Amino acid sequence: GGGVLTNGSFTMIDGTINNNSAVTSGGGVAVNSGGATAKFEFLGGTITENNSKNGGGIWSSESVNSMIVVDGGKILKNTATSGAGIEFNSSLSNEVQREYKGINYDAVSLVVDSQISENIASLSGGGIRSDKSAGGVHYILGGTITNNKASSYGGGINVNNGSIIINADVEN
């Protein structure tokens, strides 16, 4: 993680993660469980202008124990080869019934009322990419995914593996 690397639990309330870079994964934030449970809660604020090969704004590891909650945040103007805004990699084994602000979900990630915009991937998943998620489910409820770009696949969203359940506005 160029800005933040969490191997445990990290909660960000408002604030900004800006102008960071990582060679491989998580220009802004890398959620890497390393065998234990890792959780990133992003509650408001902005993750912007970060860069990495995978997950320019936020990246989750390929472990079964990492999870992400984004609520009311802005993920803007990040760049990556894939998953410029967010790249999800967590898998099915982490799916348990969870509750967040009255929302019951059985997924490894939850994005609520957030803005994911103007992120650019040189390959795939300008806004969001789900990769290596071997059956992982990701919920996006409310918010907007707009003006993201990818040169090959999924300017807004690229689902390479796993599932994304969306109830949000998507325009790209």
Side-chain angles (χ1 to χ4, degrees):
V4 175
L5 168 63
T6 182
N7 291 313
S9 183
F10 174 66
T11 300
M12 177 176 161
I13 302 171
D14 295 320
T16 301
I17 297 174
N18 176 256
N19 200 28
N20 298 286
S21 183
V23 173
T24 306
S25 302
V29 177
V31 183
N32 184 17
S33 69
T37 299
K39 180 177 182 180
F40 174 50
E41 291 182 297
F42 174 44
L43 311 176
T46 305
I47 296 176
T48 186
E49 298 178 4
N50 300 287
N51 177 271
S52 183
K53 179 180 178 185
N54 301 299
I58 301 171
W59 173 85
S60 70
S61 75
E62 298 163 23
S63 169
V64 297
N65 295 318
S66 60
M67 62 183 265
I68 297 171
V69 173
V70 177
D71 187 355
K74 294 180 181 179
I75 301 171
L76 312 170
K77 299 180 182 178
N78 298 287
T79 58
T81 302
S82 65
I86 303 173
E87 181 160 333
F88 297 122
N89 290 295
S90 297
S91 64
L92 179 65
S93 299
N94 195 24
E95 290 183 20
V96 296
Q97 189 64 37
R98 297 186 173 98
E99 188 272 335
Y100 177 78
K101 291 174 93 173
I103 301 168
N104 291 308
Y105 68 103
D106 57 348
V108 293
S109 59
L110 176 65
V111 179
V112 180
D113 296 328
S114 296
Q115 179 184 356
I116 301 171
S117 299
E118 300 179 55
N119 299 288
I120 300 173
S122 62
L123 184 61
S124 61
I128 297 173
R129 183 167 194 242
S130 174
D131 188 34
K132 300 178 185 161
S133 289
V137 176
H138 312 283
Y139 281 76
I140 302 170
L141 307 173
T144 58
I145 301 169
T146 58
N147 299 317
N148 300 285
K149 296 180 182 173
S151 62
S152 294
Y153 309 105
I157 299 170
N158 172 240
V159 181
N160 191 45
N161 206 337
S163 301
I164 296 180
I165 298 170
I166 301 171
N167 182 8
D169 295 327
V170 179
E171 292 181 26
N172 289 284

